[in-house]
Amino acid sequence: YGKIKGGNNIFRYNDTMSKKYNELLLVESDLRKAFQLNEFRLHYQPKVDVDTNKIVGVEALIRWNHGKKGNIPPSLFIPVAEEIGMIQDIDEWVLEEACNQFNRWVSSGVEPIMIAVNVSATELQQADFLDRVRNIIEKTGMDPNYLEIEITENSILYNTEECIDRMRQLREMGISLAIDDFGTGYSSMGYLPKFPINFLKIDQSFIRDICNETGNEEIIKAMIQLAHTFGLKVVAEGVEQETALSFIKNEKCDYYQGYFFSRPLEAEVLEQQLLLN
Ligand code: C2E
Ligand code: MG
Ligand code: MG
Ligand code: MG
């Protein structure tokens, strides 16, 4: 292992990573400038009711338009931001911007809908996470009953009791909670009845293969039933095809997101659709 000082953090790299090392270092120094240069935006993807095809909510997804390199996907820079200790700043910026956007939509006459933000797996481990969320809600005046926080299963691998307690406090504030990328984490499903969550989002890797020879239909059915047993609503991620939609509809999945209905959109573009919704 090699070690490189980066801010207060030690960035660890191994042989495979060192091939990407230059690229990562560039991303790192550029990430630090991205805030000053105002290069982050949010796009919003509709979450749709399977039965009525109405938009019931949106998910905020960060976009980084790098001045020289163009769009850099979150799958590339979020892990780097986690490594260099910038993820908290990013998640806070996302939360505040999403709350402000909710308020802007409502003042434009849009019916209030749920707005979901993703937070990094490390956030629930942070003692000050709740305070940071509370501050942003106060600062923006956002109604927390319309706010949803998406966490992954891996957020709760460690310090589980503490995490459950933080989740409870978020719920007490009126915030809804979703488990994102369900089915891909390292934890067992045994936690489901213990966790104060509202939604399970079935990972798109399962949905993508519906009606392929490698299909996961039986697993998807079981996930939906399991979720419903515990009183949770189910969201299918990554619905691209009509066949996938009719399958999940048949299995009583509650909501879906995916290119079939809409890609993530700029706030102004989505606003037109929300006004007609
Ligand atoms: P996620 O939260 O599971 O978000 C869903 C991803 O699937 C998004 O990719 C979305 O654009 C994409 N997607 C939606 N519908 C379809 C579809 O029909 N087909 C396909 N192939 N893809 C679809 P995106 O925006 O590139 O984000 C990737 C991941 O990066 C997110 O997965 C989330 O884990 C993370 N991320 C994105 N924004 C944020 C953020 O603001 N904060 C944090 N901490 N993580 C974020
Ligand atoms: Mg998500
Ligand atoms: Mg997901
Ligand atoms: Mg994902």
Side-chain angles (χ1 to χ4, degrees):
Y1 281 93
K3 286 182 180 179
I4 302 160
K5 271 288 199 192
N8 302 322
N9 290 275
I10 309 264
F11 185 84
R12 283 169 207 284
Y13 67 98
N14 57 30
D15 272 357
T16 2
M17 286 169 80
S18 69
K19 287 180 192 142
K20 285 199 150 188
Y21 162 65
N22 278 323
E23 194 189 331
L24 283 175
L25 265 195
L26 276 180
V27 171
E28 169 172 351
S29 68
D30 289 1
L31 258 182
R32 296 186 190 283
K33 287 183 229 144
F35 271 115
Q36 289 150 269
L37 296 173
N38 200 17
E39 291 178 334
F40 293 124
R41 291 282 178 280
L42 291 184
H43 282 188
Y44 299 87
Q45 185 178 43
K47 178 165 83 187
V48 183
D49 186 303
V50 168
D51 293 321
T52 64
N53 235 32
K54 290 231 171 217
I55 300 174
V56 295
V58 296
E59 176 178 1
L61 294 156
I62 195 167
R63 295 293 175 257
W64 179 15
N65 190 354
H66 187 289
K68 292 198 186 74
K69 295 175 197 128
N71 290 322
I72 301 179
S75 56
L76 207 155
F77 72 82
I78 293 284
V80 179
E82 284 170 350
E83 283 284 350
I84 66 176
M86 254 190 74
I87 192 64
Q88 296 189 6
D89 293 339
I90 291 182
D91 283 345
E92 261 182 60
W93 179 84
V94 169
L95 182 58
E96 185 169 339
E97 176 58 20
C99 290
N100 286 329
Q101 186 56 53
F102 175 90
N103 292 337
R104 285 194 287 267
W105 276 330
V106 172
S107 27
S108 307
V110 169
E111 279 290 311
I113 48 165
M114 297 295 290
I115 190 161
V117 298
N118 296 280
V119 301
S120 160
T122 56
E123 294 287 12
L124 274 186
Q125 305 288 336
Q126 310 292 322
D128 65 344
F129 179 59
L130 289 167
D131 282 337
R132 292 191 281 125
V133 172
R134 226 176 253 123
N135 285 341
I136 291 170
I137 284 174
E138 262 169 42
K139 187 170 164 188
T140 59
M142 159 86 182
D143 179 348
N145 291 299
Y146 290 105
L147 183 62
E148 182 181 323
I149 291 182
E150 297 190 4
I151 59 174
T152 59
E153 293 165 279
N154 295 338
S155 315
I156 33 205
L157 277 179
Y158 311 103
N159 307 317
T160 308
E161 287 308 318
E162 252 174 54
C163 289
I164 294 181
D165 190 56
R166 289 195 184 114
M167 291 164 87
R168 265 199 213 102
Q169 294 188 57
L170 290 166
R171 290 293 306 279
E172 278 163 18
M173 290 163 67
I175 297 170
S176 300
L177 296 176
I179 300 284
D180 202 355
D181 305 340
F182 182 66
T184 63
Y186 295 110
S187 50
S188 82
M189 296 181 181
Y191 66 77
L192 278 183
K194 289 189 216 142
F195 285 4
I197 50 176
N198 309 79
F199 301 98
L200 270 196
K201 301 188 73 175
I202 300 178
D203 189 67
Q204 49 182 286
S205 58
F206 297 95
I207 307 297
R208 197 188 299 138
D209 287 337
I210 289 174
C211 300
N212 287 350
E213 58 277 16
T214 51
N216 294 301
E217 281 89 342
E218 294 306 320
I219 293 179
I220 297 170
K221 281 186 197 179
M223 287 186 196
I224 295 172
Q225 279 178 22
L226 185 72
H228 284 164
T229 302
F230 295 123
L232 309 175
K233 298 283 190 191
V234 188
V235 186
E237 299 192 275
V239 173
E240 293 186 2
Q241 313 279 344
E242 175 96 66
T243 46
L245 179 57
S246 53
F247 175 81
I248 60 160
K249 187 170 184 161
N250 208 38
E251 298 307 325
K252 305 275 183 291
C253 182
D254 303 282
Y255 308 112
Y256 74 98
Q257 288 178 240
Y259 297 169
F260 180 74
F261 186 87
S262 172
R263 287 176 178 262
L265 300 169
E266 286 172 22
E268 301 73 29
V269 177
L270 186 55
E271 182 173 308
Q272 299 311 310
Q273 242 181 300
L274 292 175
L275 288 167
L276 300 170
N277 189 44

